[in-house]
Amino acid sequence: MLKLIKNGEVFSPDFLGKKDVLLAAGKIAHIADNIDVSTNFAPVEVIDATGKYVVPGFIDSHVHILGGGGEGGYKTRTPEIRLTDITTAGVTTVVGCLGTDGITRSMKSLLAKARGLEEEGVSTFIYTGSYQVPVRTITGTIEDDLILIDKIIGVGEIAMSDHRSSQPTVQDFAKIAGAARVGGILSGKAGVVNLHLGDGKRMLNFLEEIINTTEIPYSQFVPTHIGRNKDLFEKGIEYARKGGYVDFTTSTTKEFLEEGEVKCSKALKILLQSGVSPKNITFTSDGQGSLPLFDEKGNLKGLTVGSCSSLFPEVRDAHFQESIDLSTALRTITSNPADILKLSSKGYIREGRDADIVLLDKKDLYIDSVIALGKTMVRNGEILVKGTFI
Ligand code: ZN
């Protein structure tokens, strides 16, 4: 069946103005000022997008789809994600990862979960590994995982500068990056290393050292949680100004923000004012990850769970509260992750790309409808497609 989205204002994420968008066979088939499809030609569903913005489906490139945590004992292992946790957030592509626990949660389970979500209707990719070094892969090596397993697009999330890391040396990180680079080159994938940055004092030092002393470029690394404290944020600005990618975590708590975490929408504003390329900045939700609160002695004080639903509100806040144009704000969860992670069919409203589309209400940017691979998952805020277990 064809779908025709009529009379919406399209952000590709660049603003294209009022356009009609034709979807066919899960792809964006045509974009033009006015498209009419004869019903004699094929059945066509017309979606009236008057008063709506038509934007690319969101990419959430750091989600603990299998659940995460366990940092307060077994009962604090967080639950697996469900399809509708993803789709109701406007997300049509997720990149799944393990976290602190790479022991009771395995890469094989992560791969199966990613495949399950894809069967239910969204697009999925995964990183190989967890916080731990040496990296536990599926096949035995990072290169083999990247080259032989389609869904694996990089390594991560490896913990750096954190009390929960394996305390790897700078050489350990360089070797991981080297393996990811070669695996990426040979498979035509990004082969990035997704790095979890903790609250430690070393911050981005290891990364700077690898980039300064080896041939591995900035583009090999996607460090995340860069807004978690003011010092790391300052370092992140310097790092990004030199060409590095920086990723910000939208799931947070009142306590984290009070303790100095930089809100994503504000971080975006400051980075742009500091001259960082808008193409180097991404937001991810850390969905289903645990948000543990430790005291100064490292004891667990409390724990909540991250959510994909935190992703888009930061884009909305960036637009309304920080006066950032919608196109630039949208990049952080659409074209930027698509480009950085080399997801060549994602991230843009462009002919030939996957038909992943979100309709936003123009007035308050409320998520009205979500289309994943041409299928309407959410319509007028109502869930049309449920996952196997909702
Ligand atoms: Zn993390």
Side-chain angles (χ1 to χ4, degrees):
M1 157 114 78
L2 300 173
K3 262 192 185 67
L4 179 58
I5 304 172
K6 280 199 81 74
N7 300 319
E9 288 181 44
V10 177
F11 285 84
S12 71
D14 290 334
F15 183 60
L16 303 185
K18 201 165 159 195
K19 300 278 177 194
D20 290 352
V21 181
L22 181 69
L23 313 180
K27 296 279 180 188
I28 297 167
H30 191 42
I31 304 166
D33 288 347
N34 184 32
I35 302 174
D36 283 311
V37 179
S38 161
T39 46
N40 294 335
F41 170 67
V44 54
E45 179 194 357
V46 179
I47 298 171
D48 181 14
T50 306
K52 307 273 192 302
Y53 291 139
V54 180
V55 308
F58 308 146
I59 301 170
D60 194 347
S61 49
H62 186 112
V63 183
H64 299 278
I65 56 176
L66 208 53
E71 287 143 329
Y74 303 112
K75 68 174 182 281
T76 62
R77 296 167 84 253
T78 64
E80 289 190 13
I81 205 162
R82 297 169 306 178
L83 176 75
T84 50
D85 298 326
I86 298 169
T87 52
T88 54
V91 174
T92 52
T93 302
V94 283
V95 181
C97 57
L98 299 177
T100 321
D101 181 2
I103 298 104
T104 74
R105 301 184 201 262
S106 75
M107 281 307 301
K108 288 175 186 167
S109 301
L110 186 69
L111 178 61
K113 177 71 186 178
R115 288 192 174 142
L117 288 170
E118 196 139 296
E119 283 176 4
E120 291 181 327
V122 290
S123 300
T124 58
F125 301 92
I126 56 174
Y127 289 128
T128 188
S130 62
Y131 275 20
Q132 287 172 285
V133 174
V135 176
R136 292 194 188 191
T137 60
I138 292 181
T139 60
T141 74
I142 291 168
E143 294 95 321
D144 285 34
D145 269 20
L146 275 161
I147 295 163
L148 301 176
I149 302 173
D150 291 353
K151 286 218 170 294
I152 294 180
I153 58 166
V155 186
E157 61 167 323
I158 315 267
M160 175 180 264
S161 193
D162 193 295
H163 64 101
R164 292 163 289 176
S165 81
S166 303
Q167 305 303 333
T169 63
V170 71
Q171 283 74 26
D172 291 331
F173 280 115
K175 286 219 178 321
I176 291 167
R181 181 163 182 80
V182 171
I185 288 169
L186 293 178
S187 60
K189 296 174 182 171
V192 294
V193 184
N194 186 250
L195 290 163
H196 158 106
L197 267 294
D199 277 320
K201 289 192 199 75
R202 288 173 290 182
M203 295 189 272
L204 294 161
N205 292 355
F206 277 17
L207 259 186
E208 300 273 12
E209 193 176 334
I210 293 167
I211 290 158
N212 291 335
T213 60
T214 73
E215 298 75 25
I216 295 168
Y218 278 102
S219 57
Q220 215 67 45
F221 301 101
V222 182
T224 187
H225 315 319
I226 296 298
R228 73 182 305 142
N229 64 54
K230 294 230 156 54
D231 292 342
L232 180 60
F233 180 54
E234 290 302 323
K235 289 279 176 216
I237 295 173
E238 271 175 51
Y239 177 81
R241 283 179 62 173
K242 287 187 238 163
Y245 301 137
V246 279
D247 182 57
F248 291 83
T249 306
T250 56
S251 289
T252 186
T253 65
K254 200 161 77 52
E255 287 86 359
F256 287 178
L257 292 168
E258 279 167 9
E259 284 183 4
E261 184 171 6
V262 186
K263 186 171 154 53
C264 292
S265 54
K266 270 208 166 57
L268 178 60
K269 179 79 172 183
I270 297 168
L271 286 160
L272 295 172
Q273 284 171 339
S274 307
V276 172
S277 165
K279 295 187 173 178
N280 285 24
I281 308 159
T282 53
F283 290 172
T284 54
S285 75
D286 210 3
Q288 304 306 115
S290 65
L291 302 174
L293 195 62
F294 295 100
D295 67 17
E296 56 290 343
K297 289 189 180 134
N299 301 312
L300 186 75
K301 281 200 313 192
L303 179 135
T304 47
V305 182
S307 169
C308 286
S309 65
S310 66
L311 189 71
F312 182 66
E314 288 299 324
V315 170
R316 190 191 285 138
D317 288 352
H319 180 58
F320 286 131
Q321 295 175 10
E322 308 297 336
S323 307
I324 296 168
D325 68 273
L326 185 58
S327 185
T328 303
L330 278 169
R331 276 182 188 287
T332 59
I333 58 168
T334 59
S335 58
N336 289 355
D339 292 344
I340 292 167
L341 302 177
K342 292 195 175 160
L343 308 179
S344 57
S345 57
K346 300 293 179 189
Y348 292 84
I349 295 194
R350 197 175 273 173
E351 288 171 9
R353 296 250 167 175
D354 285 345
D356 294 338
I357 287 176
V358 170
L359 302 188
L360 299 170
D361 191 77
K362 260 173 79 171
K363 198 166 136 266
D364 54 9
L365 297 184
Y366 166 78
I367 296 172
D368 175 88
S369 298
V370 181
I371 297 168
L373 297 168
K375 189 166 186 182
T376 307
M377 311 299 277
V378 177
R379 183 80 191 268
N380 301 328
E382 187 197 329
I383 294 167
L384 295 193
V385 178
K386 290 180 178 163
T388 313
F389 305 105
I390 304 177

